[in-house]
Amino acid sequence: MREARLTQYLTYLTRRACTSQALFLPCLHRSIAFKQVRRYNHRNVACPFGPSVLLPKPGDRCASTFNGDDATIFALSTSPGRAAIAIVRVSGPQSLKVYNALCPGKAQPRARNASLRTLYEPFTDVATRQILDSGSLVFYFPAPNTVTGEDVLEFHIHGGPAIVKAVLAAIAKVDVLSPSESGPLNIRYAEPGEFTRRAFYNNRLNLTQIEALGDSLSAETEQQRRLAVNGTNNTLTERYEAWRSDLLYARGELEALIDFSEDQHFEESPRQLIASVEKQVKSLNSKITSSIKNAFKGELLRNGIRVALLGAPNAGKSSLLNRIVGREAAIVSNEAGTTRDVIEISVDIGGYLCKFGDLAGLRKGAHGNSDEQSESGLNIGAVELEGIRRARMWIVDADVVIVVLPIEPPNDESRIFRVSVDPEIFRTLIQLDATRQKLLLVVNKIDLVGPEDKIDLSGIHQLFHTLQEQGFSGSSTGQPSPNSSSMSCWKDLFRVSCKENLSVGYGDSIDPDGIQDLLDGLSKTFATMTTPEGLQDGRSHQVSREESLGASERHRLLLVRCQEYLSAFCDHVTCSHDIDIVLAAEALRGAADCLAKISGTGETGDVEEVLGVVFEK
């Protein structure tokens, strides 16, 4: 059985001989040269490739991997519609012929210099030719130092829709009307993402840079802009390639052990050598774990932080949402249960993209229990029940939950206000995940309370106790006494009023309604949620943020897959019986291939499956 596995592994090496990395790594340090004969259980088998074979360097992509043709492509590079300037880009070997057709009789433009030209209808008589654009700036960029690695021609034309349409149609005619003896020039409109695809195959961009470029184009907030700009440099790819090199180095040690352990003397015993490799793998696994966690945080910045407004009916959730977004986004009414469906609104708070969800109010009897509804004296209809069900689902998936608790006026002359918490709020909070979600408490309607009035906070104390049981530690700066009416000891508790133009309140004169204080608290919470973990590689915190937060969901999934291979390796080398070094080395190969797929430096079949999705974005 073991010989069969070794033979199968040798066949696998033969198949990958033309594209795999040479594994002449740590064995060279032991003065052991690669041989053309490998010994597997005393059977001499010819090595599939000699020691002098030149293999691709890390990061290289062979030209043969480009499955497209040698067509010259063109497209509108700016947004469609009316604008002052529009840019039409041409890339490919026939770029200069396109220029000669649209600018007949004019000298070739100087490379990387602007040339003012009048664009004409191609291949028409001088007397009848029509002007397409009377004042176009033309730029010519010769290969290979261009955005695509090919000859690139750019027409900066007036951005009127008719002019843009005419220029694009004229370029398409060049392919058909060109008096070429060899037939059409193969000039066509570019497919989605084709310029970026050619930049990738010509080693002008890697996959991580391409994804960051897409994020730059879709960035709406300051934090998204920073995340995208930091990802356009090559540091993230360099990190993955360094990890991949470590795995190749470790795999090389195991390969040397397989090849030469029977006839060479090593400085370390096989068991010590395997233990050394295992130590390297565990160290790398720890770094990958931090990167996976940071990838989650990067996705919060990229896709937006989901914020749920949780509270009972008429707690003021819709009013609070309107004050936060600065407009009447939700209907406000004194009637309980006005909000029936989830109202989702995106807003920029402190540079963070937030997706607020105004949800149906939760109240007793919301489970559809007729006894509870009779006891509470409420008749909750089917529509409101469905809204409450959707609200619970949205709360469980939210990243931040804001519990809105209204101040209720006194029922007697004691002038003691109270903050009560509906039992449904407690039931919902039990379902929250303290390891993933953040929770803030907001006491609303502070405008009802005068400076001399007292507030009964027993409901908040009970809620705080429930939060502690759920693992939401740090919700206060100290444990208040049960009879305390002060809210100053609560760190994550904010006092607000949704009424505008307040002059007196619990807040200061600059922020009397407490809305700005709440927004500042949200910004601090978002910053805490998106602060990256250190990767323990000696780099600064800022560099760690720039690199690890830029990882996309695709990166995260491949890193998780890489960890699975590393776990399989540890299982193979920690067996109490005979260690299967071949399978352990194969696990390291799988882990290295996962890292290669992230940047697109793997084999053609490894990256083609993701290229279409990445480029079309």
Side-chain angles (χ1 to χ4, degrees), residues 390-457:
R390 296 185 182 186
R392 290 198 184 96
M393 295 177 58
W394 217 93
I395 291 169
V396 172
D397 294 335
D399 304 304
V400 177
V401 177
I402 299 179
V403 182
V404 182
L405 305 172
I407 293 179
E408 299 178 1
N411 297 325
D412 49 33
E413 297 180 356
S414 62
R415 298 298 298 173
I416 297 179
F417 294 77
R418 63 190 182 93
V419 180
S420 61
V421 184
D422 193 280
E424 281 301 313
I425 304 298
F426 286 99
R427 293 182 183 179
T428 304
L429 291 177
I430 294 177
Q431 304 176 19
L432 299 184
D433 184 1
T435 62
R436 182 184 62 85
Q437 297 174 299
K438 297 294 183 180
L439 190 141
L440 282 73
L441 304 181
V442 173
V443 175
N444 190 20
K445 305 181 182 180
I446 61 171
D447 54 281
L448 299 176
V449 184
E452 303 299 329
D453 293 331
K454 296 182 179 180
I455 304 177
D456 179 8
L457 297 179

Side-chain angles (χ1 to χ4, degrees), residues 207-208 211 240 243 247 285 288-289 291-292 295 551-566 587 589-602 605-607 609-611 614:
L207 284 185
T208 56
E211 289 172 313
Y240 294 143
W243 291 350
L247 290 176
N285 192 35
I288 293 179
T289 299
S291 288
I292 292 175
S552 65
E553 178 68 8
R554 184 182 69 87
H555 300 177
R556 187 189 68 82
L557 294 176
L558 287 171
L559 290 174
V560 170
R561 182 61 176 162
C562 178
Q563 276 196 320
E564 294 175 356
Y565 279 111
L566 296 182
R589 182 205 63 78
D593 282 354
C594 290
L595 296 176
K597 287 182 181 181
I598 294 180
S599 58
T601 56
D606 292 337
V607 298
E609 59 192 40
V610 300
L611 292 187
V614 172

Side-chain angles (χ1 to χ4, degrees), residues 61-120:
R61 290 176 285 274
C62 299
S64 59
T65 61
F66 184 30
N67 295 327
D69 47 30
D70 59 349
T72 296
I73 59 176
F74 67 95
L76 178 65
S77 294
T78 50
S79 298
R82 184 175 288 102
I85 298 174
I87 300 177
V88 176
R89 176 175 291 173
V90 183
S91 177
Q94 308 297 338
S95 296
L96 285 179
K97 291 189 177 181
V98 172
Y99 168 81
N100 292 330
L102 270 63
C103 305
K106 294 294 183 180
Q108 177 178 319
R110 293 179 57 189
R112 295 175 173 81
N113 282 266
S115 301
L116 182 62
R117 296 288 187 268
T118 298
L119 305 185
Y120 294 94

